[in-house]
Amino acid sequence: PHGRSQYHAMELVLERRFSRGLQARVGYTFSRLMNNGAESGQGGDGRNGGVQNPADPLPWILSDDDTPHVLLTGFTWEIPGPDGGAMRHVLGGWNVSGLLRYESGRPMTVTMTNDLAGLLFTDQKRPNRTGEDGLADFGDFDPFEDRYYNPAGWSNPGPLQFGNAPERDGDVRGFPNFSEDINIFKVFPFTGERKLRFEAQIGNLFNRTVYCNPASNWSNTNFGQVFTQCNTARSVQLGFRFDF
């Protein structure tokens, strides 16, 4: 009953209503989400219940679901095709619609081996931030060779000491999420009520790879490594429907 949250945002929307076959909306949101209670995040990785200081179990901090930048585009385009002639029935009347989403990564929680659990009943200990950049300079990330984190960004606070690394670090975020889904269809009319509809649904159009959060225990040798992909590969579904 003591949990609370606060969300502030600025939203810009550009909309084109149906004109010359095109309808589209582009929205950008700049936001900040703070709370001291429930989280969803990517779920199941133990960060939601982590308490370092039992005397302050509900600190007012950045939310695990904070995504400061979100760009979302939805559009529908009815392609007119050539004027008149048989080719108009072949090239005209196609409908292309899509949903494109680009958003920041979520803030991360970096922990370390907990030597306080038997004394203070904590279930999380965090290292100190050193002032160096916590993200490694890896260029195009390769999960088989690169580490997402720079271990020099943290240090050991010493035995039985709390670390000053934030529970959710806005300067050390997970991977951004980019997705593009497209739908294409066309109706070929015949005589009377007969018509044929062709449709193609394409998920993850550019076959992007979005990785799950890297290993975040600073004390482990796998710190900063990535083992899992969090989205699905490109999928294409084709369909035909004949109405009569």
Side-chain angles (χ1 to χ4, degrees), residues 4 15 37 40 47 57 75 78 98 101 126 131 138 147 173 181-182 192 209 241:
R4 61 191 181 97
E15 184 176 276
S40 61
R47 288 180 294 156
F75 69 90
E78 292 184 0
R101 185 180 184 91
R126 300 189 292 274
F138 45 70
R147 291 178 183 266
R173 293 180 175 270
D181 300 323
I182 299 294
T209 299
R241 189 180 77 188

Side-chain angles (χ1 to χ4, degrees), residues 110-112 125-131 150-158 161-165 218-219:
V110 173
T111 62
M112 63 177 297
K125 180 176 178 177
R126 300 189 292 274
N128 281 339
R129 286 292 263 126
T130 63
N150 171 23
W154 295 267
S155 64
N156 192 333
Q161 299 293 317
F162 292 146
N164 63 16
W218 181 78
S219 304

Side-chain angles (χ1 to χ4, degrees), residues 129-150:
R129 286 292 263 126
T130 63
E132 290 197 32
D133 193 347
L135 297 183
D137 183 11
F138 45 70
D140 292 331
F141 183 77
D142 183 348
F144 297 102
E145 296 183 1
D146 300 323
R147 291 178 183 266
Y148 189 71
Y149 292 137
N150 171 23

